[in-house]
Amino acid sequence: MSVIAANAQILYREFHHRDQQQQYSIRSGRFLILQRSSSGYWIDRRNRECKKSLRRDIRVDAFWPDLSRPTTVEMEHINDSDHLDQILLLAQKHSEPIIIDWMATWCRKCIYLKPKLEKLAAEFDTKAKFYWVDVNKVPQTLVKRGNISKMPTIQLWKDGEMKAEVIGGHKAWFVVDEVREMIQKFV
């Protein structure tokens, strides 16, 4: 028999009231699976490992996200070519890459992707800066400078020039993974 808890508080309650059942605990997006064996031991089946422990040795804790780091970082808007030059100069001084999301307000994929990129920005908070450009609200010289033909386009700029880009016309999770790999190459 098994119990799936929606959160750690429910799991804690279930563990203390029904310790004869299989227990689940969400821990950073993964499951901690404890299964009671016929010999009275609990078996930890995480990552395909079996680790036996007595029931009295098992302690279930609530796992909360690390609140010392932000979960999202709002991307800064780039207004024109001069603003881009200032950002590139500052990034070159600090020797860090910048990520620019070229988007449009009419592009659904662009709008859906932006919050995902803000979460990714939190992941690389100290290693890279994230910016966005609405191609309909900036001078076309800036759009031409970025050599943008499709949207959304996510570019990595380092040392004052564009080093890599991802054109995100497919699923957002796939685009985010590609952007993450792109950043890891240059960080």
Side-chain angles (χ1 to χ4, degrees), residues 34-159:
L34 299 173
Q35 181 179 10
R36 186 175 181 151
S37 67
S38 58
S39 61
Y41 287 95
W42 288 82
I43 302 172
D44 182 358
R45 294 192 183 273
R46 224 175 350 178
N47 300 327
R48 297 186 178 120
E49 298 173 359
C50 279
K51 184 174 105 178
K52 291 185 179 182
S53 59
L54 290 173
R55 184 176 61 186
R56 69 176 185 269
D57 298 332
I58 296 174
R59 192 180 86 192
V60 178
D61 294 320
F63 297 101
W64 305 106
D66 183 12
L67 297 177
S68 64
R69 297 186 54 171
T71 55
T72 62
V73 172
E74 189 173 339
M75 298 191 301
E76 187 180 326
H77 185 261
I78 296 177
N79 300 318
D80 55 18
S81 291
D82 293 335
H83 190 203
L84 178 62
D85 289 335
Q86 291 172 358
I87 289 168
L88 291 173
L89 187 63
L90 187 65
Q92 195 169 4
K93 221 182 261 187
H94 294 300
S95 181
E96 69 180 4
I98 65 165
I99 310 302
I100 302 175
D101 177 20
W102 300 85
M103 60 172 285
T105 54
W106 50 262
C107 172
R108 284 193 176 186
K109 290 185 180 184
C110 301
I111 299 206
Y112 183 70
L113 186 62
K114 189 177 175 194
K116 309 263 187 270
L117 289 174
E118 288 176 342
K119 285 185 180 181
L120 188 66
E123 188 177 320
F124 291 100
D125 188 29
T126 59
K127 299 175 185 170
K129 298 286 184 196
F130 284 68
Y131 299 90
W132 65 280
V133 177
D134 185 348
V135 297
N136 293 329
K137 294 184 180 177
V138 296
Q140 289 304 302
T141 55
L142 178 61
V143 178
K144 288 178 184 174
R145 185 172 173 189
N147 199 21
I148 304 304
S149 60
K150 297 178 184 174
M151 282 174 282
T153 298
I154 299 96
Q155 295 179 337
L156 184 138
W157 291 63
K158 190 169 184 179
D159 300 326

Side-chain angles (χ1 to χ4, degrees), residues 4-5 24-27 29-33 44-47:
I4 297 179
Y24 291 86
S25 169
I26 295 176
R27 174 187 240 175
R30 296 191 179 109
F31 287 98
L32 167 65
I33 303 171
D44 182 358
R45 294 192 183 273
R46 224 175 350 178
N47 300 327

